[in-house]
Amino acid sequence: MGTTTLSEAYRDHPLHLRHIIPLDFGSTPTVPESHVWPHSDGFSSADISGDLPVVDMRDPDAAELMGRACETWGAFQLMGHGIPMKLIEEVELEARRLFGLPAEQKLKALRSPGGATGYGVARITPFFTKYMWHEGFTIMGSPIDHARELWPHGYQQFCETMESYQKQMKLLADDVMRIMLKSLNISEQELSWLANKNLNQYHTTTAPCTALQLNSYPSCPDPNRAMGLAPHTDTFLLTVLHQTAHIDGLQISKEAGPTGSTWVPVRPANGALVVNVGDLFQILSNGRFTSVVHRVVVNQTRRQRFSVAYFYGPPADFAVSPLLSSGQQDQVVVPRYRSVTVKEYVGIKAKNLDKALSLIKI
C-alpha cells in the first residue's frame, strides 16, 4: 500500500467555505442568530465525583492510575510531563499573536475546502445547525507556508515555537501511549510504529499521524447564548491539551447513574496537561478505555480563552483493531470492533460525527 498522509484523508472530504470561515468576532457587538444555541442544550455543569484524576508520570503506579482514569473518566490531568513551562507559555503567546491579527489578515491563511491545515472554524461545524464561538488554526509539521501569509517578515518565531512544541509533544505522547498500553498489559511491540523509539528512523509510512490545533474562544457579549465547541469525541488515540490558566470552559460528559450523564468542568490544574482518550484508543482497548465526549462552553468572565491540542494517532495506513492483553492470550475474548485503517475511520467520521464507533462495531 502506498504512503498515505492525514492531509490526503481530509482532502477526500472537502468542506464548503461557509463551514470554514469564522465570524469576525472583534466587530460583532451582539451574538448573531447564526451563533445562538438553544437553552435546551443545557450549558450548566455539576461536580459529581470530585475532580478529574491527576496523574504524575513519575509515580511508580502511573500505569495503574492512568488505566483507572481512562476506564472511568476517559481522561486525566497529567503532571510531571517534562514539557518546559517556558515553551508552553511561548506557544500560548504565539497563539495570542495569531488570533489577535485583524480578521482580513487571518483569512490570508484560511484552510482550503479540502485542506487539513490553516485558519478556520472547527471541522465538526457541518454537523450542527448553529455556529460555534470559536476560531482555530491547525498545524501539521511546519506551518511556514501559512505563517508567511500572516507575517511576511516576522514568521520565524512562530514557526520555530510550533515546531519545537510538536517535537516535545510527540515524545511525550509516545511515552504516555506506552504507559497506557502497560496498564492494559499490552506490549508496545504490537504497534510497530510505536516500538521504534528512534525518532530519526521514522519513515513516512511508519510515522504517527499528528496535528497541533490552536484554539481561540473570543470574548463573548452574551456567553449564555453561545457555544464554544459543541459536544464531540476526538478521532485519534489520544489528545494532549494545554488550556489557559484560571479560565474555565472545557467540560466532559460523565455518567451519573439512572439520571443519565452530566457535564463536569475540567478546571486547569497548575502546570498540568489534560490527556483524553480518542476513538481509536477505544477500539484498540476493545472498549475498556472510553473515548470521552467533551465540549467547551463560553466562559462567563467574558475573557478570551485559548487552548492548544495535540492530536496523536497511528500512521494513516495502519489498521487499528482490538488488541489482547498478555493475560488474555489463552482466553476467548470477543472483539467488539472490526479492524479499520486510520484513513478509513477519518472518512467514516467525516460523514457520521457521533455514530462512527457504532458503525464499526461487530
Side-chain angles (χ1 to χ4, degrees):
M1 184 180 291
T3 303
T4 303
T5 67
L6 194 57
S7 295
E8 289 171 358
Y10 284 124
R11 195 181 308 149
D12 293 341
H13 305 279
L15 301 176
H16 193 280
L17 273 176
R18 69 175 181 274
H19 291 142
I20 300 174
I21 302 176
L23 185 70
D24 181 1
F25 296 101
S27 62
T28 306
T30 60
V31 178
E33 187 59 35
S34 58
H35 288 67
V36 174
W37 285 65
H39 287 290
S40 59
D41 281 313
F43 294 172
S44 61
S45 61
D47 289 298
I48 56 172
S49 301
D51 293 325
L52 190 68
V54 177
V55 180
D56 192 317
M57 283 188 72
R58 299 162 296 191
D59 191 319
D61 298 322
E64 180 186 347
L65 295 170
M66 281 186 193
R68 194 182 308 153
C70 291
E71 288 179 354
T72 56
W73 289 81
F76 54 91
Q77 298 213 52
L78 184 68
M79 299 292 285
H81 46 69
I83 306 297
M85 282 307 300
K86 185 175 185 295
L87 177 58
I88 294 174
E89 290 166 359
E90 288 172 353
V91 170
E92 186 171 320
L93 189 66
E94 290 300 320
R96 288 178 184 273
R97 185 161 74 102
L98 187 159
F99 292 118
L101 291 170
E104 63 271 18
Q105 188 70 12
K106 288 183 283 192
L107 290 177
K108 291 181 179 180
L110 188 68
R111 193 173 69 232
S112 65
T117 60
Y119 177 70
V121 300
R123 293 196 70 89
I124 62 175
T125 297
F127 294 98
F128 300 92
T129 56
K130 297 292 185 176
Y131 288 88
M132 290 158 254
W133 206 259
H134 165 272
E135 55 184 336
F137 190 86
T138 309
I139 301 167
M140 295 179 184
S142 173
I144 189 168
D145 291 340
H146 283 124
R148 277 176 174 158
E149 296 294 330
L150 296 171
W151 303 284
H153 305 293
Y155 59 84
Q156 291 93 341
Q157 180 64 35
F158 180 85
C159 293
E160 290 171 5
T161 301
M162 296 305 157
E163 289 176 39
S164 176
Y165 190 71
Q166 287 179 92
K167 287 177 182 176
Q168 294 275 344
M169 281 288 114
K170 162 69 179 57
L171 294 171
L172 174 62
D174 279 350
D175 287 342
V176 171
M177 182 75 191
R178 292 186 181 103
I179 296 172
M180 291 169 72
L181 286 175
K182 183 180 178 183
S183 75
L184 292 166
N185 290 318
I186 293 173
S187 168
E188 66 183 64
Q189 301 301 321
E190 297 274 0
L191 304 175
S192 55
W193 52 273
L194 184 64
N196 183 354
K197 298 182 182 181
N198 188 339
L199 256 181
N200 298 321
Q201 292 179 4
Y202 275 125
H203 301 291
T204 51
T205 51
T206 58
C209 275
T210 64
L212 187 65
Q213 175 74 23
L214 309 180
N215 297 306
S216 163
Y217 303 94
S219 171
C220 182
D222 194 349
N224 291 323
R225 304 184 74 201
M227 173 68 80
L229 205 57
H232 65 285
T233 61
D234 291 341
T235 300
F236 298 136
L237 289 167
L238 55 89
T239 303
V240 184
L241 178 81
H242 160 70
Q243 49 181 343
T244 307
H246 312 302
I247 303 179
D248 291 355
L250 176 64
Q251 297 180 345
I252 65 173
S253 179
K254 184 106 165 53
E255 290 297 323
T259 57
S261 60
T262 191
W263 291 103
V264 182
V266 180
R267 297 187 173 91
N270 189 31
L273 297 169
V274 177
V275 177
N276 68 265
V277 175
D279 294 354
L280 295 183
F281 216 135
Q282 181 165 328
I283 297 168
L284 204 66
S285 67
N286 205 27
R288 281 184 61 185
F289 289 176
T290 303
S291 183
V292 64
V293 177
H294 54 285
R295 70 179 185 181
V296 176
V297 296
V298 181
N299 76 86
Q300 298 294 318
T301 64
R302 301 196 180 184
R303 292 163 62 194
Q304 186 173 17
R305 177 180 177 273
F306 299 94
S307 70
V308 183
Y310 182 79
F311 301 108
Y312 175 88
D317 286 336
F318 186 83
V320 179
S321 60
L323 295 178
L324 297 179
S325 72
S326 56
Q328 293 176 318
Q329 301 297 338
D330 298 324
Q331 301 176 19
V332 178
V333 179
V334 180
R336 297 174 61 183
Y337 304 95
R338 69 170 176 84
S339 177
V340 60
T341 66
V342 175
K343 182 184 180 183
E344 181 189 0
Y345 189 75
V346 168
I348 294 171
K349 193 152 185 179
K351 298 176 182 176
N352 311 273
L353 179 68
D354 57 350
K355 299 182 179 67
L357 277 173
S358 63
L359 290 173
I360 63 164
K361 262 193 168 182
I362 296 175

